[in-house]
Amino acid sequence: MNIIELFGPLQEIIFFILEIGVILGSLGVVLLSNIVYSAFFLGLVFFCISLLYFALNADFVAAAQILIYVGAVNVLIVFAVMLINKPESLKIFPVWTVGDKITLAICLTSFFLLVNIILNTSWSNITVITESKGFLESNFTQNVQRIGSLLLTQYLLPFELLSIVLLVALIGAIVIARRENLIETNKKKVLQIKKSPTTF
Amino acid sequence: MFLLPKYNSFFIFLLLASVIPILAFSISKFLAPNNTQGPEKLTSYESGIEPMGDAWIQFQIRYYMFALVFVIFDVETVFLYPWAMSFNDLGLSAFIEALVFVFILIIGLVYAWRKGALEWS
Amino acid sequence: MLEHILSLGAYLFCIGIFGLITSRNMVRALMCLELIFNAVNINLITFSNSFDTQQAKGEIFAIFIIAIAAAEAAIGLAIVLAIYRNKNSTRIDQFNLLKW
């Protein structure tokens, strides 16, 4: 058995396993009562999506997904969950209200509508037209280099604006999250001012 | 749909690396004797002494501040990787533009430093 | 294959919207928002792989979305922490202070 012929069904198996991971993980995020379990299932979803990006020939975006989403955003969410630690109810799945059922019906119909649209669009017409332009060059340049040169020449303005967005996010989040320290240092100053007149 | 075969060995490796620990744990769970289940076996381990206190500690805000600063600078670092990979092909202007990017985020670092978001005491 | 992954993106989007509307906890709503961002990213990367292999415009857009989503999650969670500090509750239907 030639090992190169094994790679056809291998990609199908990989896609199947990753899709099962994404589907079960997203169900776990939405349906579980305990929010710590939800946060860990979200990490699983991010990891499976990153492996999907590897399978779709987007290796830089896959690495960025693991570094940023799994490594930073998921950790941030877990820390926020730990800071908001209220003992919840003991059931595994929460109780459903009428609004939940209406929302479920609407989301199911929209999902089936989207799948219907996807299956009825003729993707093969677009593929034939666009793939005929310079197919061979894409194999030989590395993905990261191409993204880097595009980022700094053609997409320079979003790149610089992104630095301003990150600066604003950093300053805003620090200002909002540090009010507790500010109140405590002000309280200490007030106590010191009240104590000092007794020494005169 | 264009799927390159260069990551196939990586996926095989990942599959094997996930299967082996699962196999090891399940074999050990299957083969171990289970007639020694006392109530003391389920208490938490604290280096031999009796466990005292609660397992949950009070979480402080400074953990969140560090994770926040880390998120922002992690995103900045991820954007610096493709610049580093294509550094030789681009000219002086790209170098200056990337320096502007880093400089704007250094302003943010100075702000976080002065406002005490990086304190650990 | 293309339709397969696009329907996976559609499924993730619908589950994200469902979780966002029906979650009573604020942090869970932010987590479902991240699911929606990832669904959009899956679509973009799939299209970039199928139709735009040379220029990878979809990949660049996806990387910008990842960065913006990270910044937005940071600020959103800071707001959640500030609200929790003031009202000591995480139920999302009790914060109607801006309602007339």
Side-chain angles (χ1 to χ4, degrees):
Chain A
M1 184 151 49
N2 202 358
I3 201 159
I4 299 184
E5 289 165 359
L6 212 57
F7 287 155
L10 175 75
Q11 275 168 348
E12 313 244 337
I13 295 176
I14 294 288
F15 270 115
F16 183 68
I17 294 178
L18 292 176
E19 281 172 12
I20 295 286
V22 169
I23 290 173
L24 291 179
S26 57
L27 281 173
V29 168
V30 171
L31 293 178
L32 288 175
S33 237
N34 190 357
I35 204 165
V36 183
Y37 292 164
S38 281
F40 287 129
F41 272 99
L42 189 71
L44 173 74
V45 169
F46 288 157
F47 187 66
C48 290
I49 290 181
S50 165
L51 292 180
L52 262 177
Y53 291 163
F54 269 120
L56 286 171
N57 191 22
D59 43 7
F60 175 63
V61 187
Q65 169 99 358
I66 289 187
L67 278 173
I68 296 182
Y69 264 126
V70 181
V73 174
N74 202 22
V75 168
L76 196 70
I77 288 178
V78 168
F79 279 5
V81 162
M82 299 288 193
L83 272 168
I84 306 181
N85 186 25
K86 295 183 82 72
E88 291 286 339
S89 61
L90 297 168
K91 305 176 205 145
I92 302 182
F93 298 108
V95 181
W96 284 41
T97 64
V98 177
D100 289 351
K101 292 177 183 140
I102 298 177
T103 317
L104 178 69
I106 294 179
C107 286
L108 274 177
T109 42
S110 55
F111 173 61
F112 284 125
L113 201 65
L114 280 170
V115 170
N116 205 14
I117 295 176
I118 289 170
L119 290 175
N120 282 339
T121 318
S122 55
W123 302 110
S124 47
N125 291 345
I126 314 177
T127 315
V128 162
I129 296 175
T130 59
E131 278 298 325
S132 58
K133 307 178 193 170
F135 177 74
L136 292 173
E137 296 135 32
S138 62
N139 278 341
F140 301 107
T141 58
Q142 289 201 5
N143 221 357
V144 190
Q145 278 174 348
R146 188 180 56 195
I147 289 184
S149 65
L150 275 177
L151 208 56
L152 283 165
T153 55
Q154 195 176 356
Y155 301 106
L156 176 67
L157 187 61
F159 184 66
E160 302 295 340
L161 284 179
L162 186 73
S163 73
I164 298 194
V165 166
L166 289 174
L167 175 72
V168 168
L170 179 66
I171 293 181
I174 288 181
V175 164
I176 294 176
R178 74 179 278 268
R179 290 252 179 248
E180 180 183 58
N181 302 340
L182 201 65
I183 294 173
E184 282 176 5
T185 51
N186 278 345
K187 272 187 195 163
K188 282 183 194 165
K189 282 182 192 168
V190 165
L191 283 173
Q192 280 171 358
I193 293 172
K194 276 187 186 165
K195 278 182 192 167
S196 53
T198 59
T199 61
F200 288 166
Chain B
M1 206 57 202
F2 185 59
L3 295 153
L4 273 187
K6 70 179 173 178
Y7 285 111
N8 280 336
S9 40
F10 166 69
F11 280 118
I12 295 178
F13 169 75
L14 204 62
L15 210 60
L16 277 178
S18 324
V19 159
I20 289 182
I22 295 178
L23 206 64
F25 275 112
S26 50
I27 289 180
S28 119
K29 187 166 186 165
F30 180 63
L31 290 178
N34 55 354
N35 49 358
T36 56
Q37 282 276 355
E40 283 178 347
K41 201 167 195 277
L42 298 171
T43 59
S44 47
Y45 178 67
E46 218 168 305
S47 304
I49 60 176
E50 287 285 321
M52 57 184 77
D54 206 4
W56 290 93
I57 59 173
Q58 179 65 31
F59 210 76
Q60 285 137 358
I61 193 78
R62 61 174 185 233
Y63 299 147
Y64 178 78
M65 303 296 272
F66 268 91
L68 167 73
V69 175
F70 174 66
V71 165
I72 302 292
F73 287 104
D74 198 24
V75 174
E76 173 193 0
T77 308
V78 162
F79 271 89
L80 288 180
Y81 286 139
W83 169 58
M85 286 293 289
S86 60
F87 190 71
N88 283 332
D89 301 329
L90 304 163
L92 179 68
S93 58
F95 178 65
I96 294 183
E97 288 147 9
L99 279 187
V100 167
F101 179 75
V102 173
F103 174 69
I104 293 180
L105 283 164
I106 285 182
I107 298 179
L109 174 67
V110 166
Y111 178 83
W113 196 328
R114 291 288 303 271
K115 290 296 179 181
L118 303 175
E119 295 279 320
W120 191 255
S121 53
Chain C
M1 180 58 92
L2 172 74
E3 294 137 357
H4 215 131
I5 304 185
L6 288 181
S7 17
L8 179 73
Y11 165 79
L12 212 56
F13 186 77
C14 292
I15 274 227
I17 287 204
F18 172 70
L20 184 61
I21 295 180
T22 65
S23 73
R24 259 149 282 179
N25 198 345
M26 290 182 287
V27 186
R28 192 192 297 274
L30 283 171
M31 292 200 289
C32 296
L33 196 59
E34 298 295 327
L35 278 185
I36 296 176
F37 279 125
N38 275 298
V40 171
N41 268 355
I42 284 181
N43 262 20
L44 279 171
I45 300 277
T46 308
F47 283 134
S48 154
N49 189 28
S50 305
F51 304 131
D52 198 22
T53 319
Q54 252 194 317
Q55 273 200 323
K57 298 193 274 269
E59 292 183 27
I60 293 188
F61 197 1
I63 192 86
F64 277 117
I65 289 183
I66 289 179
I68 300 269
E72 174 255 343
I75 288 212
L77 285 169
I79 292 179
V80 164
L81 286 177
I83 290 180
Y84 176 72
R85 196 183 294 148
N86 277 334
K87 298 198 78 160
N88 208 26
S89 150
T90 54
R91 287 184 58 107
I92 210 169
D93 47 356
Q94 288 176 356
F95 303 118
N96 48 3
L97 299 170
L98 286 177
K99 225 171 149 178
W100 65 87

